Amino acid sequence: MVLNNSQRLLKKKGIELEISYFGSDSQYQFINGRNLGKLNHSQLLQLYRDNDFGIAPSMTNFSLVTFEMMSAGLPVIDFAEGSGPWFMSKDTYISTHLDEYQLSVAIEKAIASPSRRLQKMTQDARNYLQRITWQKTIDDFIAVLANL
């Protein structure tokens, strides 16, 4: 619903928001956008290269799809109310709140000066991903357990 309402708000400002979904069976229909179904690796990479933004909200469990998007150079939008901020550095994605007004504003700002802001953000995201290792993840997990 947030995407649907954002689409309407942006259209009033002359911005077409085309939405593509993936990961579900292709027979399912959504109220907005296209359902691309289940994609293989090369199709995912092409999708990430062909689009302007990716959103894979992780409201409870962080989605590794977000890291896939980042590694492909796709700017990512995530919501402050979700778990993303716990896993990503603030300079590596566009943070907004989970409502159509805030999302619309975030998209408008991002497309207002894409060359500077988005290029730096995607490079920062790739650099950040280079620093994430399984050993660091394990160490962080053990630290959380030790503090319980």
Side-chain angles (χ1 to χ4, degrees):
M1 292 307 300
V2 170
L3 288 174
N4 191 50
N5 293 337
S6 296
Q7 196 173 37
R8 278 189 277 176
L9 288 170
L10 290 168
K11 188 173 183 111
K12 289 179 184 177
K13 296 182 178 191
I15 300 169
E16 275 303 313
L17 182 61
E18 294 179 15
I19 302 170
S20 298
Y21 297 93
F22 68 92
S24 299
D25 192 296
S26 59
Q27 72 183 15
Y28 296 119
Q29 298 297 313
F30 293 92
I31 61 171
N32 57 0
R34 303 176 298 150
N35 179 5
L36 303 176
K38 296 178 183 179
L39 304 176
N40 63 36
H41 291 208
S42 61
Q43 291 170 320
L44 278 173
L45 183 58
Q46 193 60 49
L47 178 69
Y48 298 157
R49 288 181 176 161
D50 289 345
N51 283 275
D52 297 315
F53 302 101
I55 300 177
S58 299
M59 301 315 291
T60 55
N61 297 324
F62 185 70
S63 170
L64 294 179
V65 171
T66 303
F67 284 168
E68 286 179 2
M69 292 175 179
M70 291 171 134
S71 70
L74 181 63
V76 170
I77 298 172
D78 202 35
F79 302 110
E81 295 83 358
S83 59
W86 293 94
F87 295 91
M88 298 182 291
S89 176
K90 67 181 176 180
D91 56 343
T92 62
Y93 69 103
I94 298 167
S95 178
T96 188
H97 289 281
L98 184 60
D99 74 70
E100 58 265 24
Y101 300 105
Q102 295 295 319
L103 178 57
S104 299
V105 169
I107 291 171
E108 276 186 272
K109 283 182 182 178
I111 64 175
S113 60
S115 60
R116 259 191 239 134
R117 183 176 183 210
L118 295 180
Q119 285 177 0
K120 180 175 179 352
M121 185 183 68
T122 55
Q123 187 57 52
D124 289 347
R126 285 182 168 161
N127 292 341
Y128 176 71
L129 291 175
Q130 293 299 315
R131 295 190 308 265
I132 297 173
T133 64
W134 283 113
Q135 186 60 51
K136 181 179 178 337
T137 303
I138 291 167
D139 292 345
D140 289 348
F141 184 71
I142 290 171
V144 168
L145 292 176
N147 286 318
L148 292 178

